[in-house]
């Protein structure tokens, strides 16, 4: 039976599943998607949708991130920041709600919670740049 999660909880649990999967590089996607029964960090339909979109569009998402890195490569981006940006971009680009400001704000909050002190500024800047290039307004906080 699916638990009712807030969007914030669903995003965080999707992030945690995706982050955990990065430690199983031999086959990360099944590790991400096989956690719905986890009691500690359950995945609902919203979080599973984000994870599936991340998986299906991983090359495009990583390409967007790489194109907007200034003097960096994907390998240099801290793991927490990279996974948070992937989660946010999956929601921004492929989700039904089309609220980039909300996705960016939630990404910033996740990086503040799980990342290094100033990583949130980097994540906010990169996601805002991508949103503007995609014709989305990052400030839309509906």
């Amino acid at each position: 039976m699916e638990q009712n999660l807030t969007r914030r909880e669903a995003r965080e649990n999707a992030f945690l599943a995706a982050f955990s999967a990065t430690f199983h590089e031999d086959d990360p996607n099944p590790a991400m998607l096989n956690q719905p029964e986890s009691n500690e960090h359950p995945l609902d339909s919203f979080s599973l949708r984000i994870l599936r979109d991340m998986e299906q569009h991983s090359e495009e998402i990583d390409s967007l991130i790489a194109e907007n890195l200034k003097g960096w490569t994907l390998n240099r981006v801290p793991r927490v920041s990279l996974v948070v940006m992937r989660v946010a971009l999956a929601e921004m680009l492929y989700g039904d709600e089309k609220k980039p400001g909300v996705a960016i704000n939630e990404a910033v909050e996740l990086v503040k919670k799980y990342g290094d002190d100033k990583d949130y500024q980097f994540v906010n800047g990169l996601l805002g740049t991508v949103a503007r290039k995609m014709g989305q307004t990052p400030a839309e906080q509906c």
Side-chain angles (χ1 to χ4, degrees):
M1 184 167 122
E2 183 176 313
Q3 291 187 10
N4 289 328
L5 301 174
T6 66
R7 289 290 199 238
R8 177 166 280 189
E9 291 169 330
R11 287 180 187 98
E12 183 171 7
N13 290 353
F15 159 74
L16 291 170
F19 184 77
S20 173
T22 65
F23 294 97
H24 306 280
E25 292 184 15
D26 54 324
D27 196 12
N29 294 323
M32 270 195 308
L33 298 174
N34 289 331
Q35 293 186 359
E37 281 77 44
S38 169
N39 290 329
E40 188 175 355
H41 302 291
L43 301 175
D44 65 2
S45 58
F46 182 74
S47 50
L48 286 170
R49 168 80 189 263
I50 290 171
L51 292 172
R52 285 190 184 102
D53 288 340
M54 278 180 56
E55 176 186 6
Q56 292 172 354
H57 302 283
S58 63
E59 288 181 24
E60 182 180 347
I61 290 169
D62 280 356
S63 177
L64 278 171
I65 295 169
E67 288 170 16
N68 290 284
L69 293 173
K70 302 223 181 336
W72 286 57
T73 62
L74 281 177
N75 293 337
R76 285 193 59 213
V77 176
R79 189 182 305 231
V80 167
S81 297
L82 183 59
V83 174
V84 165
M85 289 188 293
R86 287 172 174 162
V87 167
L89 287 170
E91 181 180 353
M92 288 167 55
L93 300 174
Y94 308 105
D96 295 332
E97 294 177 355
K98 302 299 181 212
K99 296 180 181 177
V102 173
I104 293 169
N105 183 57
E106 293 293 325
V108 166
E109 293 303 316
L110 284 170
V111 173
K112 284 180 179 179
K113 183 173 181 177
Y114 294 103
D116 286 336
D117 288 342
K118 295 186 180 179
D119 287 353
Y120 74 92
Q121 296 168 338
F122 167 73
V123 169
N124 185 52
L126 189 135
L127 292 175
T129 298
V130 171
R132 283 186 291 281
K133 285 182 178 180
M134 303 299 292
Q136 299 176 342
T137 305
E140 291 173 1
Q141 295 284 343
C142 302

